[in-house]
């Protein structure tokens, strides 16, 4: 069975600082991994995804994530936080050829201080 | 054009009532989902349909009944609403069961009073 753990329900950074949101997954088969962002009162929007190939994936708004199989991790980073990055971030996993329904982590709220 | 649209956006109703939420996608996707997001933002899969056929039915009370008249629509009907049903319900779609990048609607905030 697949599962996702996001460490830290809240992450607080200063504007201009590095953003690091952690995601660890469990999957019995090669995973597909996703990061989504949710702004207040809106639906989820895809930031980036990993399916196969290059393990460092770049997404929208300057975010990127690296798939590390040995660590079962898919952490999200951005070199310099902007006030507009304040939102809820969700990591999700689905299993290629397995339980393909995306399973979401509990989310991390990113707070950006001026 | 909105890719995945849900109606209504807000729904306030009394306990015991029956209500429906509609969802339509214009992306040509084969697979659609209903997720429930609770007050702590946790997203839980409720149902998944592929080409109008139910493929996933998680542990959801029988009071919840999805209906897919065609592959572009997945509606959710809820009978005998309870206080605990208050949540945000999201419809989503993906290309097919293998390509699971999900496109989400704006959500329906259901409040049962």
């Amino acid at each position: 069975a697949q599962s996702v753990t996001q460490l830290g329900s809240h992450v607080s950074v200063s504007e201009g600082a590095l953003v690091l949101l952690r995601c660890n997954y469990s999957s019995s088969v090669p995973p597909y991994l996703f990061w989504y962002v949710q702004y207040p009162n809106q639906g989820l929007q895809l930031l980036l995804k990993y399916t196969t190939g290059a393990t460092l994936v770049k997404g929208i708004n300057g975010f990127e994530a690296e798939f590390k199989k040995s660590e079962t991790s898919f952490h999200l980073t951005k070199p310099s936080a902007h006030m507009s990055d304040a939102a809820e971030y969700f990591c999700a996993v689905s299993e290629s050829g397995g339980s393909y329904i995306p399973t979401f982590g509990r989310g991390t709220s990113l707070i950006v201080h001026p | 054009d909105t890719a995945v649209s849900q109606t209504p956006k807000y729904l306030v109703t009394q306990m015991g009532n029956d209500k429906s939420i509609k969802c339509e996608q214009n992306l040509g996707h084969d697979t659609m989902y209903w997720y429930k997001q609770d007050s702590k933002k946790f997203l839980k899969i409720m149902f998944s349909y592929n080409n109008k056929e139910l493929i996933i039915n998680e542990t959801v009370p029988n009071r919840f009944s999805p209906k897919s008249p065609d592959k572009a629509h997945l509606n959710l009907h809820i009978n005998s609403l309870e206080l605990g049903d208050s949540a945000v319900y999201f419809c989503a779609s993906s290309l097919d069961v293998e390509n699971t990048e999900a496109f989400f609607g704006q959500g329906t905030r259901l409040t049962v009073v």
Side-chain angles (χ1 to χ4, degrees):
Chain A
Q2 61 195 28
S3 65
V4 175
T5 302
Q6 290 184 239
L7 287 176
S9 58
H10 295 83
V11 169
S12 183
V13 300
S14 298
E15 193 172 19
L18 171 72
V19 175
L20 171 61
L21 304 183
R22 298 179 187 273
C23 172
N24 289 89
Y25 70 90
S26 171
S27 174
S28 56
V29 298
Y32 293 162
L33 295 159
F34 308 87
W35 275 100
Y36 289 85
V37 61
Q38 184 181 27
Y39 298 103
N41 298 315
Q42 294 189 27
L44 280 72
Q45 176 185 2
L46 183 74
L47 274 177
L48 48 80
K49 64 180 179 182
Y50 169 81
T51 52
T52 59
T55 57
L56 180 63
V57 292
K58 295 186 185 300
I60 62 171
N61 301 340
F63 284 94
E64 62 182 38
E66 187 171 10
F67 169 57
K68 292 187 176 180
K69 184 178 177 181
S70 61
E71 298 177 9
T72 61
S73 69
F74 191 58
H75 301 331
L76 181 71
T77 60
K78 181 174 180 177
S80 177
H82 192 273
M83 296 295 289
S84 60
D85 293 327
E88 194 82 19
Y89 291 80
F90 293 91
C91 182
V93 62
S94 65
E95 293 183 332
S96 57
S99 173
Y100 37 74
I101 304 297
T103 297
F104 285 80
R106 289 192 167 266
T108 298
S109 179
L110 177 64
I111 301 160
V112 182
H113 297 289
Chain B
D1 266 354
T2 305
V4 181
S5 59
Q6 295 178 231
T7 54
K9 189 171 171 65
Y10 299 97
L11 186 53
V12 181
T13 187
Q14 291 188 327
M15 280 195 315
N17 283 353
D18 302 339
K19 290 294 178 185
S20 291
I21 306 171
K22 296 187 175 182
C23 178
E24 175 182 5
Q25 54 95 2
N26 63 4
L27 298 168
H29 288 172
D30 286 347
T31 307
M32 296 185 74
Y33 313 87
W34 277 110
Y35 281 89
K36 179 180 180 180
Q37 186 175 48
D38 64 22
S39 59
K40 296 186 178 179
K41 303 279 187 177
F42 180 52
L43 270 165
K44 183 172 164 41
I45 183 72
M46 299 174 70
F47 303 102
S48 178
Y49 272 70
N50 188 58
N51 276 320
K52 302 192 303 176
E53 299 296 322
L54 179 66
I55 54 173
I56 289 287
N57 181 353
E58 291 295 311
T59 308
V60 176
N62 290 338
R63 301 181 293 103
F64 290 80
S65 54
K67 282 191 173 52
S68 183
D70 55 60
K71 74 173 191 177
H73 294 85
L74 181 61
N75 303 322
L76 183 65
H77 188 75
I78 315 169
N79 289 326
S80 303
L81 278 154
E82 300 177 358
L83 292 176
D85 297 331
S86 295
V88 181
Y89 293 85
F90 285 100
C91 177
S93 71
S94 65
L95 183 61
D96 51 44
V97 294
E98 287 287 336
N99 294 282
T100 51
E101 174 187 341
F103 292 75
F104 282 80
Q106 292 291 295
T108 296
R109 183 175 295 276
L110 172 64
T111 303
V112 182
V113 298

XYZ file of all heavy atoms in Angstrom, chain A residues 20-110:
711
model
N 12.074 24.707 2.154
C 12.261 23.252 2.100
C 11.058 22.600 2.745
O 10.822 22.760 3.943
C 13.538 22.829 2.828
C 13.729 21.312 3.036
C 13.783 20.578 1.712
C 14.990 21.040 3.863
N 10.285 21.876 1.959
C 9.129 21.139 2.467
C 9.405 19.657 2.239
O 9.704 19.236 1.132
C 7.849 21.565 1.732
C 7.522 23.054 1.764
C 6.199 23.313 1.056
C 7.488 23.585 3.181
N 9.268 18.882 3.322
C 9.699 17.490 3.280
C 8.558 16.532 2.987
O 7.444 16.698 3.491
C 10.354 17.114 4.605
C 11.594 17.923 4.927
C 12.182 17.531 6.271
N 13.276 18.425 6.637
C 14.538 18.258 6.268
N 14.874 17.216 5.519
N 15.452 19.110 6.645
N 8.885 15.534 2.190
C 7.903 14.497 1.839
C 8.627 13.162 1.755
O 9.616 13.027 1.031
C 7.249 14.821 0.500
S 6.180 13.506 -0.145
N 8.141 12.191 2.492
C 8.608 10.813 2.377
C 7.439 9.932 1.987
O 6.314 10.152 2.423
C 9.236 10.339 3.691
C 10.564 11.001 3.946
O 10.638 12.065 4.543
N 11.620 10.369 3.466
N 7.703 8.946 1.194
C 6.627 8.106 0.681
C 6.934 6.637 0.948
O 8.063 6.250 1.236
C 6.450 8.324 -0.823
C 7.612 7.776 -1.628
C 7.608 6.467 -2.105
C 8.740 8.553 -1.864
C 8.684 5.959 -2.800
C 9.822 8.046 -2.556
C 9.793 6.757 -3.009
O 10.870 6.249 -3.669
N 5.895 5.856 0.858
C 6.024 4.406 0.918
C 5.258 3.835 -0.268
O 4.105 4.202 -0.494
C 5.437 3.889 2.235
O 5.373 2.488 2.233
N 5.928 2.968 -1.017
C 5.281 2.388 -2.188
C 5.925 1.046 -2.494
O 7.148 0.909 -2.420
C 5.426 3.330 -3.386
O 4.932 2.736 -4.558
N 5.114 0.085 -2.863
C 5.630 -1.254 -3.154
C 6.110 -1.387 -4.597
O 6.751 -2.373 -4.945
C 4.546 -2.301 -2.870
O 3.380 -1.998 -3.606
N 5.809 -0.407 -5.414
C 6.226 -0.403 -6.813
C 6.764 0.986 -7.128
O 6.609 1.908 -6.324
C 5.056 -0.753 -7.764
C 4.528 -2.149 -7.486
C 3.956 0.272 -7.656
N 7.428 1.152 -8.276
C 7.915 2.498 -8.603
C 6.796 3.525 -8.519
O 5.728 3.332 -9.103
C 8.430 2.327 -10.037
C 8.840 0.903 -10.104
C 7.863 0.149 -9.256
N 7.062 4.610 -7.799
C 5.989 5.581 -7.577
C 5.938 6.676 -8.628
O 6.927 6.968 -9.293
C 6.377 6.184 -6.229
C 7.889 6.206 -6.290
C 8.272 4.948 -7.050
N 4.762 7.252 -8.756
C 4.633 8.552 -9.386
C 4.451 9.537 -8.222
O 3.658 9.279 -7.315
C 3.406 8.622 -10.300
C 3.469 7.758 -11.530
C 2.313 7.441 -12.236
C 4.683 7.258 -12.015
C 2.356 6.653 -13.385
C 4.733 6.476 -13.155
C 3.564 6.175 -13.836
O 3.604 5.396 -14.965
N 5.168 10.635 -8.256
C 5.150 11.582 -7.136
C 4.763 12.965 -7.620
O 5.152 13.381 -8.720
C 6.534 11.624 -6.468
C 6.949 10.317 -5.800
C 8.447 10.249 -5.621
C 6.242 10.164 -4.458
N 4.012 13.658 -6.793
C 3.467 14.958 -7.166
C 3.572 15.924 -5.977
O 3.507 15.515 -4.816
C 1.976 14.851 -7.539
C 1.654 13.792 -8.556
C 1.400 12.484 -8.149
C 1.588 14.099 -9.897
C 1.101 11.497 -9.076
C 1.278 13.114 -10.829
C 1.043 11.817 -10.425
N 3.703 17.191 -6.312
C 3.483 18.261 -5.351
C 2.388 19.167 -5.907
O 2.430 19.574 -7.070
C 4.745 19.089 -5.111
C 5.676 18.533 -4.085
C 6.810 17.815 -4.289
C 5.557 18.674 -2.658
N 7.397 17.489 -3.094
C 6.650 18.012 -2.071
C 4.632 19.304 -1.811
C 6.859 17.949 -0.696
C 4.837 19.245 -0.438
C 5.930 18.576 0.107
N 1.436 19.470 -5.005
C 0.349 20.377 -5.352
C 0.371 21.553 -4.384
O 0.790 21.427 -3.237
C -1.014 19.684 -5.218
C -1.301 18.640 -6.271
C -0.845 17.335 -6.108
C -2.041 18.947 -7.409
C -1.107 16.365 -7.071
C -2.314 17.980 -8.362
C -1.841 16.700 -8.187
O -2.115 15.736 -9.138
N -0.152 22.689 -4.843
C -0.307 23.855 -3.986
C -1.791 24.220 -3.929
O -2.515 24.088 -4.920
C 0.536 25.055 -4.500
C 0.119 25.483 -5.896
C 0.427 26.240 -3.546
N -2.225 24.627 -2.736
C -3.608 25.065 -2.553
C -3.608 26.437 -1.903
O -3.148 26.592 -0.771
C -4.385 24.069 -1.689
C -5.856 24.436 -1.540
C -6.619 23.459 -0.663
O -6.068 22.807 0.221
N -7.922 23.346 -0.895
N -4.108 27.415 -2.632
C -4.291 28.748 -2.072
C -5.650 28.791 -1.383
O -6.535 27.988 -1.698
C -4.170 29.804 -3.164
C -2.810 29.821 -3.817
C -2.603 29.249 -5.072
C -1.708 30.377 -3.167
C -1.350 29.241 -5.662
C -0.447 30.364 -3.743
C -0.289 29.791 -4.987
O 0.960 29.766 -5.568
N -5.848 29.713 -0.450
C -7.098 29.764 0.310
C -8.334 29.773 -0.588
O -8.382 30.507 -1.575
C -6.967 31.068 1.099
C -5.491 31.248 1.260
C -4.874 30.730 0.001
N -9.268 28.925 -0.211
C -10.562 28.829 -0.900
C -10.435 28.462 -2.377
O -11.295 28.838 -3.187
C -11.338 30.148 -0.763
C -11.654 30.471 0.675
O -12.086 29.608 1.441
N -11.396 31.704 1.069
N -9.396 27.743 -2.698
C -9.219 27.292 -4.074
C -8.946 25.793 -4.116
O -8.697 25.152 -3.088
C -8.078 28.049 -4.751
C -8.347 29.520 -4.957
C -7.287 30.174 -5.826
O -6.655 29.522 -6.666
N -7.112 31.464 -5.654
N -9.003 25.248 -5.327
C -8.643 23.852 -5.512
C -7.142 23.679 -5.553
O -6.385 24.638 -5.426
N -6.713 22.424 -5.701
C -5.284 22.139 -5.757
C -4.775 22.323 -7.178
O -5.455 21.994 -8.151
C -5.016 20.696 -5.309
C -4.999 20.458 -3.819
C -6.394 20.530 -3.226
C -4.371 19.102 -3.501
N -3.539 22.817 -7.255
C -2.906 23.069 -8.552
C -1.566 22.337 -8.567
O -0.804 22.410 -7.600
C -2.702 24.578 -8.713
C -1.968 25.001 -9.965
C -1.690 26.487 -9.985
O -2.013 27.215 -9.060
N -1.071 26.952 -11.056
N -1.288 21.646 -9.660
C -0.038 20.900 -9.739
C 1.158 21.846 -9.825
O 1.194 22.761 -10.639
C -0.047 19.994 -10.971
C 1.188 19.102 -11.116
C 1.148 17.962 -10.096
C 1.289 18.530 -12.528
N 2.150 21.591 -8.952
C 3.420 22.329 -9.005
C 4.430 21.593 -9.889
O 5.117 22.194 -10.703
C 4.022 22.442 -7.610
C 3.597 23.575 -6.697
C 4.295 23.418 -5.359
C 3.902 24.926 -7.314
N 4.553 20.297 -9.655
C 5.497 19.483 -10.409
C 5.195 18.010 -10.173
O 4.444 17.665 -9.255
C 6.949 19.794 -10.016
C 7.300 19.842 -8.533
C 7.502 18.467 -7.951
C 8.553 20.689 -8.315
N 5.804 17.165 -11.020
C 5.586 15.731 -10.893
C 6.828 14.962 -11.323
O 7.620 15.443 -12.145
C 4.394 15.286 -11.736
C 4.603 15.479 -13.232
C 3.389 15.018 -14.028
C 3.616 15.258 -15.524
N 2.427 14.867 -16.334
N 6.975 13.780 -10.738
C 7.997 12.829 -11.158
C 7.300 11.537 -11.558
O 6.509 10.993 -10.793
C 8.997 12.550 -10.030
C 9.881 11.379 -10.358
C 10.978 11.527 -11.188
C 9.571 10.105 -9.887
C 11.763 10.437 -11.531
C 10.350 9.010 -10.226
C 11.429 9.179 -11.049
O 12.190 8.095 -11.403
N 7.616 11.069 -12.766
C 7.104 9.763 -13.173
C 8.278 8.839 -13.473
O 8.477 7.829 -12.798
C 6.170 9.869 -14.388
O 6.815 10.594 -15.438
C 4.883 10.603 -14.001
N 9.078 9.184 -14.446
C 10.297 8.428 -14.740
C 11.339 9.414 -15.237
O 11.050 10.590 -15.468
C 10.081 7.360 -15.828
O 9.620 8.012 -17.017
C 9.070 6.320 -15.403
N 12.581 8.918 -15.410
C 13.599 9.786 -15.993
C 14.343 10.604 -14.960
O 14.626 10.134 -13.856
N 14.657 11.823 -15.322
C 15.469 12.703 -14.478
C 14.855 12.831 -13.086
O 13.654 13.074 -12.940
C 15.588 14.079 -15.115
N 15.696 12.662 -12.081
C 15.191 12.654 -10.700
C 15.008 14.043 -10.132
O 14.323 14.206 -9.123
C 16.141 11.851 -9.798
O 17.453 12.422 -9.890
C 16.183 10.394 -10.216
N 15.622 15.048 -10.755
C 15.411 16.427 -10.330
C 14.390 17.037 -11.285
O 14.633 17.150 -12.481
C 16.721 17.211 -10.364
C 16.633 18.675 -9.941
C 16.208 18.778 -8.483
C 17.971 19.378 -10.148
N 13.256 17.398 -10.750
C 12.199 17.941 -11.594
C 11.923 19.381 -11.219
O 11.945 19.748 -10.040
C 10.899 17.107 -11.493
C 11.115 15.749 -12.114
C 10.423 16.968 -10.075
N 11.701 20.168 -12.233
C 11.416 21.585 -12.026
C 9.937 21.832 -12.293
O 9.342 21.231 -13.195
C 12.283 22.434 -12.954
C 13.771 22.326 -12.647
C 14.593 23.279 -13.481
C 16.086 23.082 -13.248
N 16.481 23.308 -11.836
N 9.382 22.727 -11.485
C 7.973 23.016 -11.637
C 7.722 24.493 -11.846
O 8.613 25.254 -12.187
N 6.491 24.865 -11.580
C 6.121 26.259 -11.758
C 6.562 27.088 -10.565
O 6.857 26.548 -9.494
C 4.604 26.404 -11.982
C 3.829 25.897 -10.765
C 4.173 25.669 -13.237
C 2.353 26.198 -10.821
N 6.596 28.393 -10.755
C 6.886 29.346 -9.673
C 8.252 29.146 -9.022
O 8.445 29.519 -7.866
C 5.799 29.286 -8.594
C 4.419 29.602 -9.146
O 4.281 30.215 -10.207
N 3.393 29.171 -8.442
N 9.206 28.557 -9.738
C 10.561 28.412 -9.227
C 10.786 27.242 -8.287
O 11.854 27.100 -7.700
N 9.800 26.377 -8.130
C 9.937 25.217 -7.256
C 10.595 24.057 -7.998
O 10.456 23.918 -9.205
C 8.565 24.766 -6.734
C 8.018 25.647 -5.656
C 7.164 26.694 -5.963
C 8.354 25.416 -4.330
C 6.659 27.512 -4.963
C 7.851 26.227 -3.325
C 7.001 27.276 -3.643
N 11.285 23.238 -7.239
C 11.818 22.000 -7.771
C 11.831 20.934 -6.682
O 11.709 21.250 -5.492
C 13.217 22.182 -8.363
C 14.284 22.618 -7.400
C 15.630 22.806 -8.107
O 15.652 23.299 -9.249
O 16.646 22.458 -7.497
N 11.930 19.684 -7.115
C 11.957 18.572 -6.158
C 12.857 17.486 -6.715
O 13.007 17.344 -7.937
C 10.548 18.027 -5.925
N 13.460 16.736 -5.809
C 14.347 15.660 -6.214
C 13.852 14.333 -5.681
O 13.613 14.183 -4.474
C 15.772 15.911 -5.735
C 16.765 14.882 -6.280
C 18.203 15.245 -5.996
O 18.463 16.183 -5.224
O 19.082 14.577 -6.575
N 13.692 13.368 -6.569
C 13.306 12.023 -6.191
C 14.560 11.268 -5.751
O 15.509 11.133 -6.517
C 12.654 11.312 -7.380
C 12.450 9.839 -7.201
C 11.719 9.344 -6.138
C 12.995 8.919 -8.102
C 11.515 7.980 -5.975
C 12.801 7.561 -7.953
C 12.064 7.096 -6.882
N 14.544 10.812 -4.496
C 15.665 10.028 -3.983
C 15.124 8.677 -3.539
O 14.550 8.544 -2.451
C 16.348 10.749 -2.820
C 17.078 12.017 -3.236
C 17.883 12.605 -2.080
C 18.675 13.817 -2.539
N 19.477 14.411 -1.442
N 15.347 7.686 -4.382
C 14.791 6.364 -4.121
C 15.349 5.766 -2.839
O 14.623 5.163 -2.043
C 15.089 5.438 -5.308
C 14.471 4.063 -5.193
C 14.774 3.245 -6.424
C 14.228 1.833 -6.288
N 14.546 1.007 -7.474
N 16.661 5.941 -2.620
C 17.301 5.345 -1.447
C 16.751 5.919 -0.151
O 16.757 5.257 0.885
C 18.817 5.554 -1.508
O 19.116 6.936 -1.525
N 16.284 7.146 -0.209
C 15.742 7.799 0.985
C 14.211 7.822 0.971
O 13.616 8.347 1.909
C 16.279 9.234 1.079
C 17.786 9.319 1.209
C 18.304 10.741 1.220
O 17.492 11.685 1.292
O 19.544 10.903 1.152
N 13.619 7.295 -0.059
C 12.155 7.351 -0.289
C 11.634 8.755 -0.010
O 10.663 8.953 0.734
C 11.393 6.303 0.549
O 11.615 6.533 1.942
C 11.792 4.893 0.185
N 12.306 9.727 -0.617
C 11.927 11.117 -0.361
C 11.680 11.864 -1.668
O 12.166 11.475 -2.741
C 13.023 11.827 0.437
O 14.194 12.008 -0.346
N 10.943 12.927 -1.528
C 10.627 13.799 -2.674
C 10.416 15.196 -2.094
O 9.319 15.743 -2.107
C 9.391 13.281 -3.403
C 9.124 13.947 -4.737
C 10.071 13.921 -5.754
C 7.904 14.559 -4.993
C 9.826 14.510 -6.996
C 7.643 15.155 -6.230
C 8.604 15.135 -7.224
N 11.468 15.780 -1.570
C 11.371 17.087 -0.903
C 11.247 18.221 -1.914
O 11.885 18.203 -2.970
C 12.610 17.324 -0.025
C 12.811 16.280 1.030
N 11.772 15.577 1.611
C 13.954 15.819 1.613
C 12.248 14.732 2.512
N 13.569 14.845 2.524
N 10.483 19.205 -1.543
C 10.218 20.374 -2.402
C 11.080 21.538 -1.945
O 11.131 21.826 -0.736
C 8.741 20.749 -2.324
C 8.273 21.929 -3.183
C 8.274 21.547 -4.661
C 6.882 22.368 -2.742
N 11.728 22.223 -2.875
C 12.566 23.361 -2.506
C 12.318 24.539 -3.447
O 11.844 24.390 -4.576
C 14.069 23.003 -2.566
O 14.402 22.598 -3.897
C 14.416 21.887 -1.592
N 12.653 25.716 -2.903
C 12.667 26.933 -3.698
C 13.754 27.813 -3.101
O 13.790 27.998 -1.880
C 11.316 27.643 -3.666
C 11.282 28.911 -4.516
C 9.899 29.518 -4.575
C 9.921 30.791 -5.430
N 8.568 31.392 -5.591
N 14.663 28.330 -3.919
C 15.814 29.055 -3.370
C 15.442 30.302 -2.573
O 16.085 30.615 -1.572
C 16.616 29.439 -4.624
C 16.160 28.507 -5.686
C 14.734 28.191 -5.387
N 14.392 30.998 -3.006
C 14.075 32.274 -2.386
C 12.564 32.427 -2.278
O 11.863 32.530 -3.282
C 14.668 33.411 -3.236
O 14.316 34.668 -2.713
N 12.084 32.459 -1.043
C 10.636 32.537 -0.822
C 10.096 33.919 -1.139
O 10.744 34.946 -0.890
C 10.319 32.186 0.630
N 8.887 33.892 -1.665
C 8.171 35.136 -1.947
C 6.889 35.124 -1.143
O 6.341 34.069 -0.835
C 7.877 35.219 -3.452
C 7.413 36.553 -3.904
N 6.096 36.939 -3.880
C 8.104 37.625 -4.385
C 5.982 38.177 -4.327
N 7.182 38.610 -4.634
N 6.407 36.305 -0.822
C 5.174 36.392 -0.024
C 4.027 35.614 -0.678
O 3.208 35.002 0.011
C 4.747 37.842 0.164
C 5.728 38.694 0.959
S 5.874 38.124 2.659
C 4.283 38.611 3.323
N 4.008 35.611 -1.998
C 2.927 34.941 -2.715
C 3.010 33.416 -2.641
O 2.092 32.726 -3.078
C 2.919 35.364 -4.184
O 4.145 35.020 -4.791
N 4.107 32.892 -2.080
C 4.238 31.433 -1.928
C 3.469 30.911 -0.721
O 3.325 29.696 -0.549
C 5.714 31.036 -1.777
C 6.521 31.299 -3.042
O 5.951 31.174 -4.148
O 7.715 31.644 -2.913
N 2.997 31.792 0.127
C 2.246 31.366 1.306
C 0.991 30.613 0.874
O 0.135 31.154 0.170
C 1.870 32.572 2.152
N 0.914 29.351 1.263
C -0.181 28.475 0.824
C -0.023 27.133 1.522
O 0.897 26.930 2.314
C -0.138 28.283 -0.694
N -0.925 26.223 1.212
C -0.847 24.844 1.697
C -0.248 23.990 0.592
O -0.651 24.105 -0.573
C -2.256 24.348 2.036
C -2.315 23.083 2.843
C -2.113 23.318 4.339
O -2.283 24.462 4.791
O -1.759 22.344 5.041
N 0.706 23.141 0.957
C 1.389 22.307 -0.040
C 1.152 20.843 0.288
O 1.289 20.410 1.436
C 2.890 22.620 -0.054
C 3.182 23.996 -0.618
C 3.033 25.130 0.176
C 3.563 24.153 -1.943
C 3.267 26.391 -0.342
C 3.802 25.409 -2.475
C 3.651 26.523 -1.662
O 3.876 27.779 -2.188
N 0.805 20.094 -0.745
C 0.502 18.674 -0.582
C 1.413 17.836 -1.460
O 1.572 18.111 -2.659
C -0.951 18.376 -0.983
C -1.981 18.980 -0.081
C -2.492 20.238 -0.333
C -2.426 18.287 1.043
C -3.442 20.806 0.494
C -3.373 18.847 1.879
C -3.885 20.112 1.611
N 1.973 16.805 -0.860
C 2.716 15.797 -1.594
C 1.775 14.622 -1.846
O 0.927 14.313 -0.999
C 3.920 15.352 -0.761
S 4.991 14.149 -1.532
N 1.879 13.998 -2.998
C 0.993 12.881 -3.328
C 1.784 11.796 -4.046
O 2.772 12.067 -4.732
C -0.177 13.343 -4.184
N 1.317 10.567 -3.889
C 1.951 9.419 -4.545
C 0.897 8.548 -5.193
O -0.206 8.394 -4.659
C 2.776 8.588 -3.527
C 1.891 8.008 -2.436
C 3.553 7.482 -4.220
N 1.211 8.030 -6.352
C 0.409 6.965 -6.933
C 1.376 5.915 -7.449
O 2.551 6.202 -7.683
C -0.514 7.467 -8.044
O 0.227 7.946 -9.142
N 0.891 4.705 -7.576
C 1.779 3.600 -7.912
C 1.592 3.192 -9.355
O 0.489 2.820 -9.750
C 1.511 2.412 -6.988
C 1.890 2.672 -5.550
C 1.701 1.470 -4.658
O 0.840 0.635 -4.966
O 2.432 1.365 -3.655
N 2.649 3.265 -10.114
C 2.582 2.854 -11.510
C 2.274 1.368 -11.571
O 2.973 0.551 -10.982
C 3.919 3.139 -12.199
O 4.975 2.488 -11.536
N 1.164 1.031 -12.226
C 0.786 -0.367 -12.346
C 0.232 -0.965 -11.072
O -0.006 -2.158 -10.987
N 0.029 -0.143 -10.088
C -0.502 -0.648 -8.817
C -1.748 0.106 -8.422
O -2.646 0.279 -9.231
N -1.801 0.529 -7.177
C -2.940 1.326 -6.708
C -2.741 2.735 -7.208
O -2.124 3.561 -6.564
C -3.005 1.305 -5.182
O -4.003 2.199 -4.723
N -3.260 3.014 -8.348
C -2.898 4.227 -9.063
C -3.635 5.456 -8.563
O -3.415 6.538 -9.046
C -3.175 4.023 -10.551
C -4.422 3.219 -10.789
C -5.672 3.788 -10.598
C -4.359 1.881 -11.150
C -6.817 3.058 -10.770
C -5.512 1.138 -11.338
C -6.738 1.731 -11.147
O -7.877 0.996 -11.321
N -4.567 5.277 -7.615
C -5.298 6.429 -7.089
C -4.336 7.278 -6.265
O -3.694 6.778 -5.350
C -6.472 5.987 -6.205
C -7.401 5.057 -6.983
C -7.204 7.198 -5.663
C -8.042 5.709 -8.180
N -4.231 8.560 -6.569
C -3.293 9.400 -5.811
C -3.664 9.465 -4.329
O -4.808 9.722 -3.980
C -3.440 10.776 -6.474
C -3.998 10.498 -7.842
C -4.889 9.313 -7.668
N -2.661 9.207 -3.494
C -2.818 9.343 -2.047
C -2.055 10.575 -1.610
O -0.901 10.758 -1.982
C -2.255 8.101 -1.335
O -3.011 6.954 -1.721
C -2.354 8.265 0.180
N -2.705 11.408 -0.813
C -2.129 12.693 -0.430
C -1.586 12.655 0.990
O -2.132 11.971 1.867
C -3.187 13.798 -0.542
C -3.481 14.191 -1.960
C -4.319 13.420 -2.744
C -2.894 15.321 -2.510
C -4.580 13.768 -4.062
C -3.151 15.674 -3.830
C -3.991 14.900 -4.601
N -0.527 13.443 1.209
C -0.062 13.691 2.547
C -0.991 14.673 3.242
O -1.941 15.189 2.644
N -0.709 14.924 4.527
C -1.617 15.776 5.312
C -1.401 17.263 5.069
O -2.093 18.085 5.652
C -1.478 15.445 6.784
C -2.076 14.085 7.119
C -2.213 13.873 8.613
N -3.055 12.727 8.888
C -4.361 12.798 9.120
N -4.961 13.957 9.126
N -5.060 11.710 9.345
N -0.438 17.597 4.228
C -0.247 18.990 3.874
C 0.702 19.725 4.803
O 0.836 19.389 5.983
N 1.386 20.719 4.255
C 2.256 21.607 5.019
C 1.879 23.035 4.679
O 1.830 23.408 3.500
C 3.736 21.381 4.670
O 4.110 20.049 5.008
C 4.623 22.363 5.442
N 1.586 23.788 5.712
C 1.245 25.191 5.521
C 2.532 26.011 5.515
O 3.283 26.003 6.496
C 0.320 25.657 6.647
O 0.008 27.023 6.476
N 2.796 26.690 4.417
C 3.985 27.537 4.312
C 3.610 28.970 4.671
O 2.721 29.573 4.059
C 4.559 27.493 2.898
C 5.767 28.393 2.645
C 6.957 27.951 3.499
C 6.147 28.397 1.167
